[in-house]
Amino acid sequence: MQTQIATIQNKWKMRDFITLAIFNVVMLIIMTICPIFTIVSYLVVGGAAALFNGPIYMVMSNKIDKRGVLFFTCIITGLYFVAFGYAYYLLTLAVIGIICELVLWGGDSYKSPVRNAIGYAIFYVGWSLCGVVPLIFFREQYLAILKKGYSPEQLETMLYYFDTPSMILLMCAISAVGGLAGCFIGNLLMKKHVKKAKLV
Amino acid sequence: MNRLGPKTHLFVLILASILSTLVSNQLQAHLMVLASALYMLGNKLSKKSLSFVLLYIALMAILSILPNGAGTATIILYTFARMIPMIMIGMVLMHSTPSSIMCAFERVYVPKPVLIMICILIRFFPVVLLEMKAIRDGIRARGIFPQWYSALLHPAMSYECFFMPLIVRCLKLSAELSSSAELRGIECGCARTSIHPIEFRAADGMAIGLYALIGAAIYWTGGLNL
C-alpha cells in the first residue's frame, strides 16, 4: 500500500512539467546574464549564478515535490548549452544530475531545506566543472578545438583558470558556498512570503 | 505561405553548431554570421537579422578597441560573438508557432513531456523577459529605488524586491498555463493535427542543402588560408 502511494506521489503530471519548464526559463536567463561577473573574476560566475537562482530552485522543488526535479533541471540546462555548441555540457550535467538525485533519494527530501541545499550546491559545482571535465578526459582533441577558436593569449588565460588544480578547487568551493547560501536565502524568503500566501 | 518547417530549423541549428566548432579564423566566423543572417532573411525576419548583424559588428569593434591586457572580459565577449550565429537560428525556431513545433516533433516520436518542456522553454523566454521589465517598472512606479544607483546601495532589499515578485508571477503563470493546457486536452493520447504546414517539403530540403553548401564553402575557405 505504501509503495503504491509512493508511486502515485512520484508520477509526473503535465502540471509539474509546465511548472518545471517555466522556472527553468528564469534560471537559464539568470545563468546567461551571470558571465558578466567575469569582470570580477572567472571564479565567481558559478557562485553568483547559484546565489541568484537559489530562491527560484527552492520554490520550484517545494512546489513540484517529486523525484527527478534536479535531474530534469540538469538535463534542460545541458540541452540549452548544446544549442550553443557545447555538447559536453550535457554529458557532464547528466552525470551530475544522477548524483544529485542520489543525494535527494527517499524521504521528504524535496521539502527539506538542508538536503535540497546540498543537492543544489552539487549541481552548481558540476556546472562550474563543465569547462574542466573535457580537459581531463579528452585533452588533446579539446585543446585542438579551442586552439581553432581562440588566440594563444586567450587560451593561456583560460587554461590558467581551468587547468590549475588550486583554481579549480577554489571555483568549486565558491560555487558550493553560493549554492548553500542561495538555498538558505531562498528558504527564508519562501517562509516569509510564499508560504504565508499559501502558494506552495 | 512558404514558411519552412520547425524540423528544418532544428537541422540547420545542428549544422551551424557543428560548423562553429570547425571554423578556425576570423573570416570564417564573419561569413557564418552572414550565412545565418541570410537564413533569417529567408524566413522573413529582416529587422531581427539586421539588429543581430549590427550587434555582431559592435562586438567586433569593441574587441578590436580593447587592449590585450583585458584578459577575461575579452574572452567572454569573444565567446558571445562566436555564439551569435546559433542564437540567430535559434531565434527563427522561436518564431515558429508552438503548435507546429509540437505537431512536427510528435510525428518523429519525441516523448510528449520533453516536447512540452521544450515548447514552453521556447515560448516563455520573451514572456519572462517582459515580466522582468514589468517588475522593474513596478519598482520604479512605487518609488522604492528613486535613483539608478539606489538599488546598489541596498543589495539585499533589491534582491528581495526583484526576485519575490518574479517567483510569485512564475507560480501564477504555471498554474494558469497548466489549467489552460489541460482544458485544451494536452493529456489526450490521440495524434495531433495542425493547421500549419509541417511536412518536409522540397523548400525545406533546399534550405538545408543550401545552408550545408554555404557551410562547406565557409569551411573550405579556411583551408586556403585567406
Side-chain angles (χ1 to χ4, degrees), chain A residues 13-15 17-26 28-30 32-33 35 38-39 42 51-56 59 63 72 76 79-86 145 148-150 153-155 157-158 161 182 185 189-190 192-194 199-200, chain B residues 13 17 20-26 63 68 71-76 78-80 82-83 86-87 112-114 116-118 120-122 124-125 128-129 132 159-160 163-164 166-168 170-175 177-179 181-182 186-187 219:
Chain A
K13 286 186 198 145
M14 277 308 151
R15 191 170 283 271
F17 283 116
I18 291 171
T19 314
L20 184 85
I22 289 179
F23 276 85
N24 263 295
V25 170
V26 181
L28 286 179
I29 289 176
I30 291 168
T32 321
I33 299 170
T38 24
I39 296 168
Y42 250 128
L51 185 65
F52 290 133
N53 279 337
I56 298 168
V59 175
K63 175 84 182 167
F72 281 123
I76 289 176
L79 280 177
Y80 178 72
F81 283 103
V82 165
F84 292 130
Y86 297 103
I145 291 174
K148 278 184 183 175
Y150 295 94
E153 305 93 68
Q154 288 176 338
L155 197 62
T157 334
M158 272 178 81
Y161 285 113
I185 297 171
L189 287 180
M190 200 170 68
K192 189 175 167 193
H193 297 284
V194 183
L199 285 169
V200 169
Chain B
L13 184 63
S17 53
S20 78
T21 58
L22 290 175
V23 299
S24 52
N25 60 25
Q26 284 291 322
L63 277 177
N68 272 336
T72 47
T74 332
I75 294 177
I76 254 344
Y78 189 75
T79 315
F80 187 64
R82 293 286 297 237
M83 279 179 181
M86 270 82 81
I87 299 176
K112 210 168 182 179
V114 178
I116 287 168
M117 278 204 266
I118 291 172
I120 288 170
L121 283 182
I122 291 173
F124 267 80
F125 251 103
V128 170
L129 288 176
M132 286 182 176
Y159 182 84
E160 195 178 344
F163 279 94
M164 272 338 285
L166 191 65
I167 289 171
V168 172
C170 283
L171 282 170
K172 292 264 177 206
L173 270 178
S174 77
L177 192 76
S178 46
S179 315
E182 269 166 21
I186 202 159
E187 281 175 329
Y219 180 56

Side-chain angles (χ1 to χ4, degrees), chain B residues 42-74:
Chain B
N43 283 289
K44 295 169 189 151
L45 290 167
S46 45
K47 263 189 197 166
K48 283 253 160 59
S49 104
L50 189 69
S51 57
F52 271 109
V53 170
L54 286 180
L55 178 68
Y56 183 75
I57 292 170
L59 275 177
M60 280 294 139
I62 294 170
L63 277 177
S64 62
I65 293 168
L66 275 180
N68 272 336
T72 47
T74 332

Side-chain angles (χ1 to χ4, degrees), chain B residues 6-7 98-108 115 119 191-196 198:
Chain B
K7 267 183 277 188
S99 89
S100 77
I101 295 175
M102 280 198 69
C103 194
F105 289 108
E106 215 178 60
R107 298 275 169 87
V108 285
L115 209 51
C119 276
R192 284 178 78 92
T193 54
S194 168
I195 56 164
H196 306 283
I198 49 151

Side-chain angles (χ1 to χ4, degrees), chain B residues 195-216:
Chain B
I195 56 164
H196 306 283
I198 49 151
E199 64 272 22
F200 201 78
R201 287 164 307 168
D204 298 80
M206 267 162 68
I208 292 177
L210 204 64
Y211 195 87
L213 207 66
I214 294 173

Side-chain angles (χ1 to χ4, degrees), chain A residues 99-180:
Chain A
I99 296 172
C100 293
E101 282 307 317
L102 287 179
V103 170
L104 288 171
W105 190 268
D108 223 4
S109 55
Y110 291 96
K111 294 244 181 204
S112 119
V114 179
R115 287 179 73 178
N116 258 327
I118 295 170
Y120 178 78
I122 292 175
F123 167 46
Y124 270 91
V125 169
W127 189 62
S128 333
L129 280 179
C130 279
V132 181
V133 167
L135 270 177
I136 298 170
F137 288 106
F138 350 82
R139 199 180 171 82
E140 301 299 316
Q141 294 94 315
Y142 187 60
L143 279 181
I145 291 174
L146 282 182
K147 262 180 202 150
K148 278 184 183 175
Y150 295 94
S151 69
E153 305 93 68
Q154 288 176 338
L155 197 62
E156 207 174 304
T157 334
M158 272 178 81
L159 285 186
Y160 171 66
Y161 285 113
F162 289 126
D163 213 17
T164 327
S166 58
M167 283 293 154
I168 297 171
L169 275 181
L170 190 61
M171 190 159 69
C172 290
I174 292 176
S175 303
V177 170
L180 294 176

